[in-house]
Amino acid sequence: MFTISGVRGVVGETLTAQAALQISASFGAWLGRGPVVVGRDTRPTGQMIAAAVFAGLASAGRDVLDLGLAPSPKVVFATKCLGAGGGMIITASHNPPDWNGLKFIGPDGLPLTEAELLTLRRDWSEGVFKPANWHSVGRILPGRLSGRYEKAIIDCVDAQALRKARLNVVVDPGNGAGSLVTPFVLRQLGCNLTAINASPDGTFPRPIEPTKEALSGLAEAVKASSADVGFAHDCDADRLVCVSETGEVLPEDMTLAIVLDSFLRANPGSVFVTNVASSSVFDDIAGKYHSKVHRTRVGESFVVQRMIETGAPIGGEGSCGGVILPNLSYTRDGILAAAKVLEALAETGETPSAVTGRMPKFFSVRTRLPLSRGDADRVIEALLERHRGEEIDTTDGFKLLRRGEWVLVRASGTEPIVRIMSEAQSIESAQGLNDELRAEVEETVASLRRDRA
Ligand code: MG
């Protein structure tokens, strides 16, 4: 249930109201002081989990500032903006509707580090929690931001240039938490906007994860309205996928690529931080503007920690279209990403196809195999042994680099699976690399099982 990004599970099975209450109580006690901002995505179980979270936090003596339905990045912004002691987000991000989860924000407005999450899990599992006295339990209060989040995003872009450009945009928040914010912000930026799937009513007309297949409706709408660009979010709107003017659903890395290219053009030499699973396209863009790229383990908190260490003004995780600009806050923000992509398009007057067409083209193949965490570790050890002497990166799992192509084998932080990701200049090479490593993983798993039998 605990993962590198918080707590996630199927409601009623691996995530219950009881667990949500107890974990929130442990978190409230761990925070020590100050109110806690709470927001949730649009899942039908959100209110029930929120009630448990409120009770847990209040029983630990924390006041709750309830934002109600809110995108994850808005909750992070509010934690800092309202000077809260911490924050909690009730979301399962891109997982299916039967899932829900909890994300935790520290007093500094930063996602909890791996070590902090381990402490929280230990506190919760050992039940080290003393409820507050009746006269010191917390209150449940409305969290009031009065439009400050939306204004802060608008302040991050050249709003005047955007209003002049009057871009035609279709946005598909998938009935997620972005439904409440993204259309509003884009209209404020002068866009001629069509919104589809923008009713936060707890139903999900398309799969929550914004994959190419899930976004056929958006692609059609972009073509039908001759829009300049289309945008889609996951349920908590920290992710953004772009659809080109031709109706092509662009790979998620391209969101960050478009924003990075425009950012570094204006700020050459800036440090950029991303994870080891993100496309090599970022090395090419950074190289063009004499910028250094730092690569971390997969997970927002690792990227954010390195951004703070290096003072990087931009970072993100390509594989989930997330853009992080510390000027707003240290979190992936899909709404900010949409505004920055529009700014990049308005700046040059180019179409999304033209902007991405200037970038080197990479093809990627992603596969997965069910595997326990322990077996995944053994598989990775075996791969390291087998490929000794070759160019290898061990930042997160096993990454083999060959003449500008690479393949990464790593244990998922949220599910009992290993992911195999490959990237190359042709789809055939990417598939070949993926097949090769997949066969090696399967071979090792078979021999582990033989040893056990
Ligand atoms: Mg998300």
Side-chain angles (χ1 to χ4, degrees), residues 8 41 43 72-73 91-95 103 208 210 233-239 320 332:
R8 248 184 238 186
D41 73 21
R43 290 161 197 277
S72 290
T91 177
S93 192
H94 59 270
N95 286 63
K103 285 175 96 172
I208 290 175
H233 293 304
D234 63 343
C235 201
D236 65 324
D238 59 344
R239 285 167 67 163
C320 44
R332 287 190 306 247

